[in-house]
Amino acid sequence: METLERIKKQIAENPILIYMKGSPKFPSCGFSARAVEALMNCKVPFGYVDILQNPDIRAELPAYANWPTFPQLWVEGELIGGCDIILEMYQQGELQTLLAEVAARHKEEN
């Protein structure tokens, strides 16, 4: 499967998905660590892709997303943004609301 197809499939299959350096338990950069901490504090299930283990995705995703940096948070197929946006939304309570609604919607579908 080509890299772009894999990216599209990952985004389609995961209502909440973060592309990050490392994993939620072992983030490999400060930005990924802060972003994933905010996600974990929302207490909803989410998927992740470690771009350090997937250099092809690391190379292709910025062009597809039109977003140059990582982490990248995708919700229901839409790019939300990177670390600063995630933290800002979290501090304002917007992230918790958005992710709770998305998680509830997808829980009903399963």
Side-chain angles (χ1 to χ4, degrees):
M1 189 182 296
E2 287 196 26
T3 303
L4 201 53
E5 294 306 310
R6 266 186 39 230
I7 290 169
K8 289 178 181 176
K9 187 173 191 283
Q10 290 166 343
I11 291 169
E13 289 177 351
N14 292 279
I16 302 168
L17 178 66
I18 187 167
Y19 287 92
M20 62 181 292
K21 293 179 180 174
S23 69
K25 285 188 173 39
F26 300 104
S28 298
C29 85
F31 296 110
S32 289
R34 288 193 295 281
V36 85
E37 182 182 6
L39 280 185
M40 288 165 52
N41 286 337
C42 292
K43 298 184 180 4
V44 295
F46 62 91
Y48 78 94
V49 175
D50 179 355
I51 60 159
L52 300 178
Q53 301 292 322
N54 297 277
D56 54 335
I57 290 175
R58 185 180 188 177
E60 298 258 344
L61 185 59
Y64 173 71
N66 199 19
W67 191 268
T69 58
F70 294 96
Q72 291 185 11
L73 176 63
W74 291 76
V75 176
E76 293 187 320
E78 189 178 319
L79 176 64
I80 300 300
C83 182
D84 291 346
I85 292 170
I86 294 167
L87 293 179
E88 187 177 312
M89 287 179 70
Y90 181 77
Q91 288 162 353
Q92 294 175 353
E94 294 172 24
L95 189 66
Q96 297 89 320
T97 303
L98 172 67
L99 298 187
E101 288 171 0
V102 168
R105 224 180 357 259
H106 288 272
K107 192 174 185 179
E108 290 166 9
E109 291 173 9
N110 292 338

